[in-house]
Amino acid sequence: MTDAAAASQPPEESRFHAFRQAEDLVGRRRPLDALKALQPLLESETDKPSVHLLAGRAYFHSAQLRRAEAAFTRVLELDPTDHYARFILGRTLQRLGRFVEALAQMRMASAMNPVPEYLEAISEVKAHIALREP
């Protein structure tokens, strides 16, 4: 769909198209393009956890870790039960070198949804913490 076609759509359809386009771009490892597509939604859909989660993923994949942290924190303000947001916030904190905070978020995510990926990440972070202890 062209930008002109998207502009002629009703606002809700246009927002849906922008979200799906950004989601596709994140999936194709084009996070900066995804953030451009998401920008209008970030301004108009401030209370939509899905928009902030997708923005956080794009920030994370483009190594804008402080922005990713803010986006995932916003998701959790809106929906504290989002285990994936907790997990990826933990991954973000891990990349920032904040291992103790990362571990806390990952443990909460795992308590909500004990999938192997979460459990492996917890072990990885615990090993980093153990290596840093005197």
Side-chain angles (χ1 to χ4, degrees), residues 62-74:
S62 63
Q64 297 180 61
L65 301 177
R66 300 254 186 250
R67 288 182 173 175
E69 178 185 4
F72 298 133
T73 299
R74 180 67 178 139

Side-chain angles (χ1 to χ4, degrees), residues 51-63:
V51 172
H52 292 285
L53 184 63
L54 186 55
R57 289 176 53 211
Y59 289 133
F60 181 83
H61 290 300
S62 63

Side-chain angles (χ1 to χ4, degrees), residues 41-42 50 108:
L41 291 173
L42 287 168
S50 59
M108 281 189 275

Side-chain angles (χ1 to χ4, degrees), residues 1-10 13-18 21:
M1 183 179 301
T2 65
D3 289 337
S8 68
Q9 294 176 336
E13 280 185 43
S14 180
R15 289 191 303 263
F16 178 78
H17 172 72
Q21 180 184 24

Side-chain angles (χ1 to χ4, degrees), residues 18 21-22 25-26 30-43 55 58-59 64:
Q21 180 184 24
L25 289 164
V26 168
R30 294 177 50 194
L32 297 176
D33 292 331
L35 287 165
K36 286 179 190 171
L38 269 179
Q39 193 56 45
L41 291 173
L42 287 168
E43 294 168 3
Y59 289 133
Q64 297 180 61

